[in-house]
């Protein structure tokens, strides 16, 4: 087993194909499944303080790691279905954000930054 | 610029540090930001049929690619903050799902599969 | 027990107070909890076709009704915490949408409508 | 205009019908739209502390009120489409929670409570 994102994406595609689940994996449905997993992630943190969220027990941390894994899995299935190069798209988006949020203007102020968000 | 997930994660950390935004990036807050982006992803697909969701215009596809990028970005920041190896965690979770959803039992039936979900 | 939204809101506040849970119910945390429940709602529908989603079994319909109840509960707790008159705010927002989406211009086209969304 | 939930639900149905939008409002699509609005709600709070989230500026508070209105609107459309009595379902769910989370056992501990959640 390799450790690259491409290996992971191929393993997820093979998993879906072995179960004949590609038929259910329209981009619309995958977007819902991803958002459902994002909801499960929230549930781990909703009653914790910010400090507690950074100091999880090993059991909780493992459960959260598996939620992150579920999100990445649907993200990779979506990228495959839409023929999007996820790594390249993310570098592209970061480049856009580097222009949109110049370090000297937004330093230390995440709240102001979000006023400029699309 | 490399094309690996590690390069991307480092670039995102540098982006946050240059803006002094790490202070806002508690796991709790990052989970919220990730779920917010998942909500934006949904909005692209909510009034489309499944077929339309698989046949996006180039402009729409690019906008969706940037939402996927935003989600990956927050996912990588979360993994970094929680010291989770995201690729390894995802392989681990797939292995769990391979046992939980045996191909011969769930073939062609995504709906039954979800009855077994935790 | 009455059947008004005010009675419901008061019952939810009493429920929280009896458990000393108001201390956890900051608007930030309640927004997370609401979004987590919205994620659970999605999970009921993610692998269904649109037609199937309109023709649920009695068991499934009851489970979905309880998800809607959870969402309304957090919505009412949020409105109470923020001192927002939820019914009035919704009439106000509908009035805005009546101007923003004139019937004759957007008739039969939900997709065009969302291009004008904020 | 009345101030009851039924009046609101009827106004929302009339709004959809005048635009011939009922055709897009399958329960599946409405669940996505609701979750999308929940995502927008999160974005208002994601970089705020809990204390800041309880002390919004008038402008921000009004924007949040309109997000709550959007969520209630989709919730009422969903209840109408699924023929669910939302107020009754919420009283029913609270009664379940009163048994599930006895005040004397969970007092002051929202985190323990969520361990018992479905």
């Amino acid at each position: 087993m390799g450790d690259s994102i491409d290996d992971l994406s191929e393993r997820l595609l093979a998993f879906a194909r072995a179960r004949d689940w590609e038929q259910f994996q329209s981009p619309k449905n995958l977007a819902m499944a991803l958002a459902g997993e994002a909801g499960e992630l929230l549930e781990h943190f909703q009653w914790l303080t910010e400090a507690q969220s950074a100091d999880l027990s090993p059991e909780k941390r493992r459960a959260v790691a598996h939620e992150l894994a579920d999100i990445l899995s649907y993200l990779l299935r979506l990228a495959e279905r839409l023929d999007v190069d996820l790594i390249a798209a993310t570098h592209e988006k970061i480049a856009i954000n580097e222009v949109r949020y110049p370090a000297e203007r937004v330093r230390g102020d995440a709240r102001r930054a979000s006023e400029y968000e699309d």
Side-chain angles (χ1 to χ4, degrees), chain A:
Chain A
M1 194 100 27
D3 65 351
S4 79
I5 206 90
D6 287 343
D7 290 337
L8 203 49
S9 187
E10 280 174 32
R11 187 174 179 188
L12 288 161
L13 178 57
F15 181 91
R17 285 192 173 154
R19 285 154 188 79
D20 198 15
W21 282 0
E22 270 189 299
Q23 60 180 312
F24 303 114
Q25 297 187 340
S26 62
K28 180 184 179 95
N29 289 3
L30 288 166
M32 294 179 79
L34 190 158
E37 297 296 339
E40 293 186 25
L41 180 68
L42 285 177
E43 291 178 354
H44 285 284
F45 292 119
Q46 64 199 13
W47 306 125
L48 302 187
T49 64
E50 290 186 58
Q52 288 168 332
S53 81
D55 186 30
L56 303 178
S57 69
E59 297 73 29
K60 181 92 163 174
R61 190 171 150 283
R62 186 160 183 268
V64 168
H66 284 175
E67 303 293 0
L68 301 185
D70 289 336
I71 293 169
L72 182 59
S73 296
Y74 286 124
L75 199 57
L76 291 174
R77 293 297 303 122
L78 258 171
E80 188 272 336
R81 286 302 314 268
L82 294 170
D83 199 20
V84 163
D85 181 331
L86 189 55
I87 301 285
T90 307
H91 278 299
E92 186 176 293
K93 186 64 193 289
I94 297 171
I96 290 171
N97 283 340
E98 286 169 344
V99 174
R100 188 182 288 171
Y101 306 120
E104 67 278 8
R105 186 160 55 82
V106 299
R107 186 167 290 126
D109 193 351
R111 287 176 296 284
R112 261 195 63 214
S114 64
E115 292 168 17
Y116 301 99
E117 266 179 25
D118 51 333

